[in-house]
Amino acid sequence: EEVVVFAAASLKTAMDEIAPAFEAQTGHEVTVSLAGSSALARQIEQGAPADIFISANEAWMDTLEEDGLLAPGSRSDLLRNSIVLIAHGADAVPVEISPALDLPGLLGEGRLAMALVDAVPAGIYGKAALESLGLWDTALPQVAQADNVRAALALVSTGEAPLGIVYATDAAADDNVSVIGTFPEDSHPPIVYPVAELAGREGAAAVAFLAYLHGSEARAAFEAQGFEVISQPGAGD
Amino acid sequence: MEWLGPEEWQAVRLSLRVSFWATLSGLPPALLAAYALARWRFPGKQLLNGLVHLPLILPPVVTGYLLLLTFGTRGPIGSVLQEIGLVFAFRWTGAALAAGIMAFPLLVRAMRLSLEAVDPKLEQAAATLGASRLWVFVTVTLPLILPGIIAGAVLGFAKAMGEFGATITFVSNIPGQTQTLPSAIYAFLQVPGGEHAALRLVAVSVAVAMSALLLSEWLARRAQRRVSGT
Amino acid sequence: MEWLGPEEWQAVRLSLRVSFWATLSGLPPALLAAYALARWRFPGKQLLNGLVHLPLILPPVVTGYLLLLTFGTRGPIGSVLQEIGLVFAFRWTGAALAAGIMAFPLLVRAMRLSLEAVDPKLEQAAATLGASRLWVFVTVTLPLILPGIIAGAVLGFAKAMGEFGATITFVSNIPGQTQTLPSAIYAFLQVPGGEHAALRLVAVSVAVAMSALLLSEWLARRAQRRVSGT
Amino acid sequence: MTLSVDLRHRFKGFELDARFEAPKGITVLFGRSGSGKTTIVNAVAGLLRPDAGRVAADDLVLFDTARSLWLPPHRRRIGYIFQEGRLFPHLSVRQNLRYGAWFSPKRVTPAEVDRVVEMLGIGGLLERRPGALSGGEKQRVAIGRALLSSPRMILADEPLAALDEARKSEILPYFERLRDEAEIPILFVSHSAAEVARLATTVVVLEGGRVTRQGPAVEVLADPAVTPLGARAAGAVLSARVARHHEDGLTELDAGGTALFIPRLEAAPGTPVRVRIAAHEVILSRQRPEGLSALNIISGEVQEIRAGEGPGMLVSLDTKAGRVLARITRRSAKALQLAPGTPCHAVMKTVAVAPEDIGGQGRDVSK
Amino acid sequence: MTLSVDLRHRFKGFELDARFEAPKGITVLFGRSGSGKTTIVNAVAGLLRPDAGRVAADDLVLFDTARSLWLPPHRRRIGYIFQEGRLFPHLSVRQNLRYGAWFSPKRVTPAEVDRVVEMLGIGGLLERRPGALSGGEKQRVAIGRALLSSPRMILADEPLAALDEARKSEILPYFERLRDEAEIPILFVSHSAAEVARLATTVVVLEGGRVTRQGPAVEVLADPAVTPLGARAAGAVLSARVARHHEDGLTELDAGGTALFIPRLEAAPGTPVRVRIAAHEVILSRQRPEGLSALNIISGEVQEIRAGEGPGMLVSLDTKAGRVLARITRRSAKALQLAPGTPCHAVMKTVAVAPEDIGGQGRDVSK
Ligand SMILES: Nc1ncnc2c1ncn2[C@@H]1O[C@H](COP(=O)(O)OP(=O)(O)OP(=O)(O)O)[C@@H](O)[C@H]1O
Ligand SMILES: Nc1ncnc2c1ncn2[C@@H]1O[C@H](COP(=O)(O)OP(=O)(O)OP(=O)(O)O)[C@@H](O)[C@H]1O
Ligand code: MOO
Ligand SMILES: [Mg+2]
Ligand SMILES: [Mg+2]
């Protein structure tokens, strides 16, 4: 049996590990389509042949749920992530992220690289965090918004922007940037990656894969990428 | 090449297939559109002209979105075509459609430019020798615009090889079905540490496109030599 | 238009400015490249040819990334240009550079096609009348390829209006500085229910580009009439 | 087949208003540069849509604005030899020549092709493309292309202008044969008085878009008023037969009992030939002249004397060989006291009857 | 200024190997279609890079393969009238005419432009583009364009082929004046024997890419062996003066004491003119003939008799008016018992001295 998984592109590395492992274990076949969460959600709305959707964006999952496109009861939160403040250079001086943070001082003439602050989750969370810390208004004029987190990271990595706000998972792997602070969890809505089975596509393989995602092998793969796996009541272990 | 995994090979093959068919099946309608724009007068000509350019003007994501809305399984055209067994949604055919549409304005412009450079006196001469409109086109116009067709095809093929936004928005990124080289490159770029893998694919993409380019140059030189008549 | 917010108006104006300058400043180097490819023989010609096509072949994100690496403040070219006061990073100039580079292959192809259609006998005639290579180019070649230049400019302008991936990757999206229409449209499309706002901007974008198209058609017809010599 | 032409068309600064009939044979359109010749030919071919008018070949109406009738060019089956060649640059000479045959209802035999190729002397060029041809070579291929399209009518716009005399005199007989043997009308634009004089069955003279004179060639050419033709075009055509060949390289013709000497003509005795005698090369004498180097003397009597502009007069002699025209000065006419009925001798040099003024039917013109 | 040409070039199936000198005046390149005329002209202009050779105008070497010297076309200052016009389609006629002046070191005065425009009869076309011109109109503009570029040398590749006789006879005097007054050499390709005979100072005969004959026009044209020229090209040129105008429309010339009658010539008495008398239009007579319509009789004695191929002979007469050539048959020569020293009369008709065979220096040729 075949399972088609639509997954946010940021999960590529993890999915590249999980899918073959699942296939080996169960004999099912997994096809993973990686793209932006919004594109995937739209495709699902237009009848894409997806069995499972892992979104990096809660809002899109909510939309699908409202439209009745999810298999009832199949939605759960799979992963948690955090956003961090990064600076260019391998060993930048850490700062304390608090309302007292002197962002303009740190930025100087430079830019604060973020993902699109009204459209892309990482940007939305970053904006919310800065707002709750009372830093947004001073930061706003210096914010440079990229179309995704990876592009924001690249801006800092190349030194184009001295600072940036990205996911912890992205920051970890780049030698040209250092994490100089993590935004407090309560400064923004929880960053979760919801997963769900799609309505009308329920099948044994899909159910099995869903379970596998919550299982220990998958957990290892996700954690290796820096994600925090949200424990499921009643799932796997 | 050992350093390409089987899935990546698949992407290379798929990209070639998609670009080839996108270009090839784009040529006849592009030729028709170019001919209409260059030679005919009809109401709505500027509308057609605008429509042809649309994929260039719109951000690719929008084009992809519009394709999804119209050619998707639930779209007005997609659902009809599905009846006759022509499915674009989430198939390589859809990738070819998207690439073809994105390449279309480039095909049309190159051909139109060549068409406008054809000396109408030669076509008239052919008519006096008994060739009907269609035959004039086939025996005189077409050979004379061959360089333009080749130029258009090259541009179109290159564009199709690089097309990403519309494709991934329309048919997603399904390995073996719709995962072209650019989609694969994009996916690599979305994860930490994927840059090297992405660059490898970029290199493959460039190599393939360059070969096509060299071939086209050679063809174009031959065609040009024919046309300049020496 | 009341239904456009001030920030959106800004995006419209910026897109126009970016596309205009991208096209305009792209024309001379494109003309040079087209001339070199059409007329000269030199080692590395096919390399130049490939380079010109590169922005078409590469996914725009990759192009944007490469631009960032080379034209960024720390990039090898960017840092030098900065010395002379030419900054691209996070400026509209950078958006224009990205759009210009993406449009470049289209400019070059159209011009090259026209150049190859120019009758060398006319250029020879000009030479016998005392015109040096440069003057022949200015007084004969250039007027004769005007339709091609216009065609290329239209394609380039349209492409620049729609360019998104390379631009946002290179100079990101700063309202009033680098937020072009496509960036704004893209942002709307990322959020559920943003389609309507996006479509409104798409409509503006299409309207603007169509006006440019109509203007170009008019210019091209005039140029064509000049060239066909009646 | 007769072609009747009636055309009105305006260009900025030029107005065409021409009406004429082109019967079987060669109708030469004659007129100065810019007088509207090519415009007429284009309209007949269907390449120009005139403002108003009608062109018909016998019953076949090519177009008629009154009846909104318009036969598209490719259905007119017209062999058009363009003023500027218009060869297909992407096709070889051979393919250019064959082009018309692809669309022709009649089959063109290889023998026919060979004959035209040989006549035009383009056998060595067949595999070349037009870009590698000289000016005259291009023009010859263009002639061949039109001739080999099995046309119902031929339009030739200065087909021979780019050719040398020798080549012309090889091709002219071909047109003559078309004129004499084939039923198709030929509309022939030419600036050359010699060509006109030799080929024309009918002459149409154009001036500024209007037909100022039209009629059978013999009449029009003999008319001193036809100034654009130049004084040199007037002449008479005599019918003769080859009588015998002499050892000193001369051929003797028999023109109604009068012997005429011309440079050797490769034709068997008995072959009928047409000899044109240009009026300006004829000298008149009241007594039969003696001791002159001129070998040809035809006796007759003055039939008519017409005065033109200038100092010239055109004298028509009635002779046993046929009508002979002589252009002489007023002063001479007075001195010789010429009047209708005066007996008179026409004197012309042997060599004045130049080879290109000899047309024949029995000759193997393809040689 | 003398142009010396030495060229070797191969095309597939054609080999050019030509060496000749073109002194001041008009050097006519004469030869059949495909004989290499345009190839030579292109090489002189710098449009074709020949395999080997050298072309120099006096001390100025245009190119020399031995010394790897190559002057680019635009520095050669050559007025090239192309066989196929080559007007700039995007420029008006006026701009086309002025094009050369933009790059010329010499200023072209408006008066000069006006004169050329008037001579070519293109005053009404100045604002048009070439696409709206007739074939002959294009050719005339092309002539004007070349003439107005203040060239150091003129190359004319069949410049008059597309023109009617009347137009030709308006333009020919202009070339004559260039020949006679300006110091610039003119290389002139022509197929027309009449043009060659009238214009040529020097004649270069080409056959299959090789020069078969070259020399002063009078010599080459008088040579019966020069077959490609055709019998009609031989002729002598007499220097004369206008003596008086008669009421019957004739003008009397004085050629070394002999009176010659020609159709009225608009020139004041005393004006020197050159009159060409074509050899094939001259009749010889031992006695002075009486009662002929021919008005011009020149007495002299036979200087030389040359036999050519065929039945013709060329007789040179020494007369007080100058040398006169007559082409007569062998048979007549025998009958008249001509030999060097024989006194003899040359007879030619008035009208045989056609207007276009009259060239003058005193005439206002722009009219
Ligand atoms: N580009 C070329 N490639 C090959 N052969 C050529 C080329 N151009 C000319 N030729 C050949 O060279 C010969 C000389 O050509 P050229 O144009 O000099 O002739 P021409 O004397 O000017 O003839 P015409 O009177 O017909 O114009 C011809 O046989 C022609 O076919
Ligand atoms: N497209 C056009 N637009 C305007 N005027 C034109 C156009 N074509 C021709 N003419 C004018 O119409 C007149 C007749 O042209 P046409 O070509 O019929 O002359 P022609 O008799 O063939 O002359 P030639 O012997 O020079 O070829 C000319 O005065 C010409 O300038
Ligand atoms: O698809 Mo993303 O992971 O929302 O940037
Ligand atoms: Mg004409
Ligand atoms: Mg030539």
Side-chain angles (χ1 to χ4, degrees):
Chain A
E1 221 174 314
E2 193 192 3
V3 192
V4 178
V5 180
F6 274 27
S10 46
L11 298 175
K12 176 174 170 59
T13 314
M15 294 311 289
D16 281 350
E17 259 183 63
I18 292 166
F22 173 74
E23 283 176 343
Q25 195 177 81
T26 64
H28 295 302
E29 213 178 293
V30 181
T31 302
V32 184
S33 177
L34 297 156
S37 305
S38 60
L40 294 172
R42 281 220 168 73
Q43 288 161 1
I44 289 165
E45 283 182 330
Q46 293 300 319
D51 300 309
I52 287 176
F53 179 37
I54 314 175
S55 172
N57 188 328
E58 278 201 278
W60 275 110
M61 195 61 104
D62 295 345
T63 306
L64 294 184
E65 189 159 31
E66 281 160 28
D67 291 347
L69 293 169
L70 303 185
S74 68
R75 174 174 175 172
S76 60
D77 288 343
L78 179 61
L79 302 171
R80 195 190 307 281
N81 208 343
S82 53
I83 50 173
V84 294
L85 185 64
I86 55 169
H88 178 71
D91 33 36
V93 185
V95 296
E96 192 201 336
I97 295 195
S98 68
L101 182 67
D102 179 20
L103 259 186
L106 288 171
L107 284 170
E109 295 285 289
R111 295 279 176 177
L112 175 64
M114 298 175 70
L116 286 167
V117 297
D118 294 318
V120 174
I124 296 172
Y125 295 129
K127 177 182 174 186
L130 290 177
E131 272 174 342
S132 75
L133 292 169
L135 300 172
W136 177 244
D137 289 340
T138 47
L140 179 59
Q142 282 175 284
V143 172
Q145 310 174 40
D147 60 326
N148 60 58
V149 194
R150 302 289 309 169
L153 177 68
L155 289 174
V156 182
S157 178
T158 56
E160 208 57 49
L163 299 180
I165 299 174
V166 299
Y167 289 127
T169 50
D170 294 305
D174 194 323
D175 295 339
N176 292 322
V177 301
S178 36
V179 176
I180 60 171
T182 302
F183 285 90
E185 259 187 44
D186 57 0
S187 66
H188 54 80
I191 303 173
V192 294
Y193 285 47
V195 62
E197 219 186 325
L198 294 165
R201 308 273 317 185
E202 301 92 339
V207 173
F209 188 71
L210 208 52
Y212 188 84
L213 282 176
H214 289 290
S216 56
E217 289 100 333
R219 171 190 296 262
F222 285 129
E223 283 177 347
Q225 298 303 309
F227 290 104
E228 185 186 329
V229 179
I230 301 173
S231 310
Q232 286 299 297
D237 41 2
Chain B
M1 277 176 267
E2 288 180 26
W3 40 283
L4 279 189
E7 201 169 281
E8 292 165 352
W9 264 117
Q10 216 170 32
V12 172
R13 278 202 306 274
L14 187 71
S15 261
L16 277 175
R17 192 186 335 159
V18 162
S19 304
F20 177 78
W21 285 106
T23 312
L24 197 71
S25 51
L27 283 176
L31 194 53
L32 187 66
Y35 198 85
L37 290 173
R39 297 290 173 84
W40 295 338
R41 285 164 157 234
F42 52 97
K45 176 165 167 172
Q46 287 314 317
L47 199 73
L48 174 66
N49 195 16
L51 218 62
V52 164
H53 283 83
L54 214 53
L56 217 51
I57 298 161
L58 296 178
V61 197
V62 174
T63 307
Y65 180 51
L66 295 176
L67 282 176
L68 187 63
L69 289 182
T70 45
F71 285 91
T73 4
R74 309 197 179 168
I77 303 182
S79 55
V80 172
L81 289 179
Q82 202 159 23
E83 301 282 300
I84 60 162
L86 197 59
V87 183
F88 289 115
F90 311 108
R91 301 279 174 86
W92 75 267
T93 46
L97 177 67
I101 291 219
M102 294 301 286
F104 199 67
L106 312 186
L107 296 180
V108 174
R109 257 303 165 172
M111 293 180 192
R112 180 174 168 190
L113 210 48
S114 288
L115 272 169
E116 280 166 350
V118 168
D119 187 353
K121 297 192 165 182
L122 292 178
E123 298 178 322
Q124 291 181 345
T128 67
L129 289 163
S132 65
R133 276 265 199 89
L134 183 68
W135 277 114
V136 171
F137 182 76
V138 172
T139 58
V140 176
T141 319
L142 203 58
L144 289 178
I145 63 169
L146 209 57
I149 294 181
I150 294 174
V154 175
L155 276 185
F157 186 84
K159 173 75 206 167
M161 283 295 292
E163 213 305 300
F164 155 64
T167 310
I168 202 170
T169 310
F170 178 28
V171 290
S172 193
N173 183 7
I174 304 168
Q177 292 274 9
T178 63
Q179 183 172 62
T180 57
L181 271 174
S183 312
I185 293 170
Y186 163 81
F188 275 119
L189 284 178
Q190 290 308 300
V191 293
E195 292 86 357
H196 286 291
L199 277 181
R200 232 173 40 207
L201 289 187
V202 165
V204 174
S205 175
V206 169
V208 169
M210 289 298 142
S211 316
L213 208 60
L214 280 175
L215 179 71
S216 80
E217 287 294 325
W218 182 78
L219 285 174
R221 253 202 313 281
R222 285 192 40 163
Q224 186 66 38
R225 217 173 307 137
R226 281 186 79 100
V227 172
S228 68
T230 47
Chain C
M1 280 176 267
E2 287 178 25
W3 42 283
L4 279 190
E7 200 169 284
E8 291 165 351
W9 263 119
Q10 218 171 32
V12 172
R13 278 202 306 273
L14 188 69
S15 261
L16 276 175
R17 195 193 323 166
V18 163
S19 304
F20 177 78
W21 285 106
T23 312
L24 196 72
S25 51
L27 283 176
L31 194 54
L32 187 66
Y35 198 85
L37 290 174
R39 297 290 173 86
W40 295 338
R41 287 163 157 235
F42 53 95
K45 177 164 167 173
Q46 286 315 318
L47 200 73
L48 174 65
N49 195 15
L51 219 61
V52 163
H53 283 83
L54 215 52
L56 216 52
I57 297 160
L58 295 179
V61 196
V62 175
T63 307
Y65 190 68
L66 294 177
L67 281 176
L68 191 61
L69 289 180
T70 46
F71 285 91
T73 9
R74 312 230 168 147
I77 303 182
S79 56
V80 173
L81 289 179
Q82 200 160 25
E83 301 281 299
I84 60 163
L86 197 59
V87 183
F88 291 115
F90 304 120
R91 301 279 172 88
W92 73 268
T93 45
L97 177 67
I101 292 226
M102 293 301 285
F104 199 67
L106 312 186
L107 295 180
V108 173
R109 258 302 165 171
M111 292 179 192
R112 182 173 166 192
L113 211 48
S114 287
L115 273 169
E116 281 166 349
V118 168
D119 187 354
K121 297 193 162 179
L122 292 177
E123 297 178 322
Q124 290 181 345
T128 66
L129 290 162
S132 64
R133 276 265 200 89
L134 183 68
W135 277 114
V136 171
F137 181 76
V138 172
T139 58
V140 177
T141 318
L142 204 57
L144 289 179
I145 64 168
L146 211 56
I149 294 181
I150 294 172
V154 174
L155 276 185
F157 186 84
K159 171 76 207 167
M161 283 294 292
E163 213 304 301
F164 157 64
T167 309
I168 200 166
T169 307
F170 179 30
V171 292
S172 89
N173 178 346
I174 303 167
Q177 293 272 10
T178 62
Q179 183 174 56
T180 56
L181 272 175
S183 309
I185 293 170
Y186 175 80
F188 277 121
L189 280 181
Q190 292 307 301
V191 291
E195 295 86 357
H196 287 292
L199 280 182
R200 227 174 45 208
L201 291 187
V202 164
V204 174
S205 178
V206 168
V208 169
M210 288 298 142
S211 317
L213 207 61
L214 279 176
L215 180 72
S216 79
E217 287 293 324
W218 182 77
L219 285 174
R221 254 202 313 280
R222 284 191 44 160
Q224 186 65 39
R225 216 173 308 137
R226 281 186 78 101
V227 172
S228 68
T230 46
Chain D
M1 192 155 80
T2 299
L3 183 74
S4 42
V5 174
D6 177 7
L7 290 170
R8 277 170 302 288
H9 191 71
R10 287 189 81 105
F11 284 124
K12 215 172 134 244
F14 176 80
E15 203 175 327
L16 181 76
D17 186 352
R19 182 192 311 241
F20 62 89
E21 304 258 304
K24 173 174 163 340
I26 295 183
T27 298
V28 170
L29 286 181
F30 199 90
R32 300 197 54 168
S33 169
S35 59
K37 306 179 295 297
T38 300
T39 308
I40 289 177
V41 171
N42 278 340
V44 173
L47 303 183
L48 174 90
R49 240 188 156 107
D51 297 339
R54 180 176 185 279
V55 170
D58 280 350
D59 295 338
L60 178 76
V61 179
L62 298 184
F63 78 91
D64 185 346
T65 47
R67 287 163 52 203
S68 297
L69 219 151
W70 177 261
L71 204 62
H74 71 276
R75 307 229 339 255
R76 297 193 182 186
R77 284 187 42 221
I78 280 175
Y80 189 164
I81 304 163
F82 294 92
Q83 200 169 2
E84 357 76 69
R86 299 202 194 179
L87 297 182
F88 302 123
H90 57 297
L91 301 181
S92 68
V93 167
R94 185 192 299 281
Q95 289 167 322
N96 265 284
L97 291 173
R98 282 205 191 136
Y99 191 89
W102 297 347
F103 308 105
S104 156
K106 275 206 296 183
R107 275 196 59 74
V108 177
T109 64
E112 231 171 318
V113 176
D114 289 350
R115 199 161 43 84
V116 169
V117 163
E118 206 188 318
M119 169 207 35
L120 296 167
I122 50 180
L125 314 173
L126 292 177
E127 303 313 325
R128 290 212 207 144
R129 282 185 201 285
L133 299 183
S134 81
E137 287 165 350
K138 277 186 198 135
Q139 195 54 29
R140 284 181 270 158
V141 175
I143 294 173
R145 186 178 67 173
L147 296 180
L148 288 173
S149 67
S150 330
R152 154 152 72 201
M153 172 186 338
I154 287 179
L155 307 178
D157 199 352
E158 299 189 42
L160 308 177
L163 300 181
D164 55 291
E165 301 289 338
R167 186 58 73 187
K168 265 185 208 169
S169 59
E170 278 167 37
I171 298 179
L172 274 173
Y174 194 88
F175 279 100
E176 285 179 323
R177 220 178 54 163
L178 277 175
R179 173 191 67 194
D180 299 333
E181 293 178 8
E183 282 297 299
I184 56 178
I186 300 174
L187 216 57
F188 194 101
V189 175
S190 176
H191 286 132
S192 151
E195 265 170 52
V196 177
R198 175 152 179 204
L199 289 177
T201 318
T202 308
V203 172
V204 174
V205 180
L206 281 171
E207 245 171 273
R210 261 154 235 280
V211 174
T212 54
R213 192 80 168 75
Q214 63 174 305
V218 201
E219 275 177 29
V220 177
L221 296 182
D223 184 352
V226 181
T227 45
L229 287 172
R232 308 209 147 202
V237 174
L238 303 184
S239 296
R241 289 181 176 277
V242 175
R244 68 187 64 86
H245 301 296
H246 291 272
E247 268 169 26
D248 56 5
L250 296 180
T251 293
E252 186 182 332
L253 303 180
D254 173 11
T258 307
L260 290 177
F261 292 89
I262 62 168
R264 185 171 194 92
L265 178 70
E266 296 304 334
T271 312
V273 294
R274 297 181 357 147
V275 180
R276 199 182 78 87
I277 297 172
H280 73 274
E281 293 187 340
V282 175
I283 292 174
L284 296 182
S285 174
R286 288 294 294 268
Q287 311 97 288
R288 186 169 183 92
E290 302 284 329
L292 283 185
S293 66
L295 291 176
N296 296 309
I297 298 171
I298 306 179
S299 308
E301 71 181 32
V302 174
Q303 191 183 28
E304 192 191 354
I305 303 178
R306 294 172 72 170
E309 297 166 16
M313 306 198 96
L314 198 70
V315 179
S316 246
L317 288 193
D318 205 11
T319 75
K320 270 183 274 173
R323 187 157 77 134
V324 171
L325 292 176
R327 180 176 283 275
I328 63 172
T329 56
R330 243 170 245 279
R331 173 174 299 213
S332 300
K334 211 194 253 171
L336 296 182
Q337 296 178 303
L338 295 182
T342 315
C344 197
H345 305 273
V347 181
M348 57 241 140
K349 302 188 54 174
T350 308
V351 287
V353 185
E356 69 250 38
D357 283 342
I358 302 159
Q361 283 139 11
R363 271 171 89 203
D364 180 9
V365 290
S366 70
K367 266 216 312 207
Chain E
M1 191 155 80
T2 299
L3 183 75
S4 40
V5 174
D6 176 7
L7 290 169
R8 276 169 302 287
H9 192 71
R10 287 188 82 104
F11 284 123
K12 213 171 135 246
F14 176 80
E15 203 174 327
L16 182 77
D17 186 353
R19 181 192 308 242
F20 62 90
E21 305 257 304
K24 173 175 163 338
I26 295 183
T27 299
V28 170
L29 287 181
F30 200 90
R32 300 197 55 170
S33 170
S35 58
K37 306 179 295 295
T38 301
T39 307
I40 290 177
V41 172
N42 278 340
V44 172
L47 302 184
L48 175 91
R49 239 189 158 110
D51 297 339
R54 181 177 184 277
V55 170
D58 279 352
D59 295 338
L60 178 76
V61 178
L62 298 185
F63 78 90
D64 186 346
T65 46
R67 287 163 52 203
S68 297
L69 220 150
W70 176 261
L71 204 61
H74 71 276
R75 306 227 343 254
R76 297 192 182 188
R77 284 185 44 220
I78 280 176
Y80 189 165
I81 304 163
F82 294 92
Q83 197 169 3
E84 359 73 71
R86 299 201 194 182
L87 298 182
F88 302 123
H90 57 297
L91 301 180
S92 68
V93 167
R94 185 191 300 280
Q95 289 167 322
N96 265 284
L97 290 173
R98 280 204 192 139
Y99 191 90
W102 297 347
F103 308 105
S104 155
K106 275 206 298 182
R107 275 196 59 75
V108 177
T109 64
E112 230 170 320
V113 177
D114 289 349
R115 199 161 41 82
V116 169
V117 164
E118 207 188 316
M119 173 216 19
L120 295 168
I122 50 178
L125 313 174
L126 292 176
E127 304 313 326
R128 290 211 208 145
R129 284 185 200 287
L133 300 182
S134 81
E137 288 165 349
K138 277 186 198 138
Q139 194 54 27
R140 284 182 270 159
V141 175
I143 294 174
R145 185 178 69 172
L147 295 180
L148 288 173
S149 67
S150 327
R152 158 152 68 199
M153 170 184 341
I154 288 179
L155 307 179
D157 199 353
E158 300 189 42
L160 308 178
L163 300 180
D164 55 290
E165 300 290 337
R167 186 58 73 186
K168 264 185 209 171
S169 60
E170 280 168 38
I171 298 178
L172 274 172
Y174 194 90
F175 278 101
E176 285 180 322
R177 220 177 55 164
L178 277 175
R179 173 191 67 193
D180 298 334
E181 295 178 6
E183 283 296 300
I184 56 178
I186 300 173
L187 216 56
F188 195 100
V189 175
S190 176
H191 284 132
S192 150
E195 267 170 52
V196 177
R198 174 151 180 204
L199 291 175
T201 320
T202 308
V203 172
V204 174
V205 180
L206 281 171
E207 246 170 90
R210 261 153 234 281
V211 175
T212 54
R213 192 80 169 77
Q214 65 174 304
V218 203
E219 277 179 30
V220 176
L221 296 183
D223 184 351
V226 182
T227 45
L229 288 171
R232 309 209 145 202
V237 174
L238 302 184
S239 296
R241 288 179 177 278
V242 175
R244 70 187 61 86
H245 300 295
H246 292 271
E247 269 169 25
D248 56 6
L250 296 180
T251 294
E252 185 181 333
L253 304 179
D254 173 10
T258 306
L260 289 178
F261 292 90
I262 62 168
R264 186 171 193 92
L265 178 71
E266 295 305 331
T271 312
V273 293
R274 300 185 348 152
V275 180
R276 199 182 77 87
I277 297 172
H280 74 274
E281 292 187 341
V282 175
I283 292 175
L284 296 183
S285 174
R286 290 293 296 268
Q287 311 97 288
R288 188 174 181 88
E290 302 284 329
L292 283 185
S293 66
L295 291 175
N296 296 308
I297 297 170
I298 307 178
S299 308
E301 68 182 35
V302 175
Q303 193 183 25
E304 191 191 355
I305 303 179
R306 293 172 73 171
E309 295 167 17
M313 308 199 92
L314 199 70
V315 180
S316 243
L317 286 194
D318 205 11
T319 75
K320 269 182 273 174
R323 186 158 76 134
V324 171
L325 293 177
R327 179 175 283 276
I328 61 172
T329 56
R330 244 170 244 278
R331 172 176 299 215
S332 299
K334 212 194 252 172
L336 297 181
Q337 295 178 306
L338 296 182
T342 316
C344 198
H345 305 273
V347 182
M348 57 241 140
K349 302 188 54 174
T350 309
V351 287
V353 185
E356 68 251 37
D357 282 343
I358 301 157
Q361 281 138 14
R363 272 171 87 204
D364 180 8
V365 289
S366 72
K367 264 216 311 205

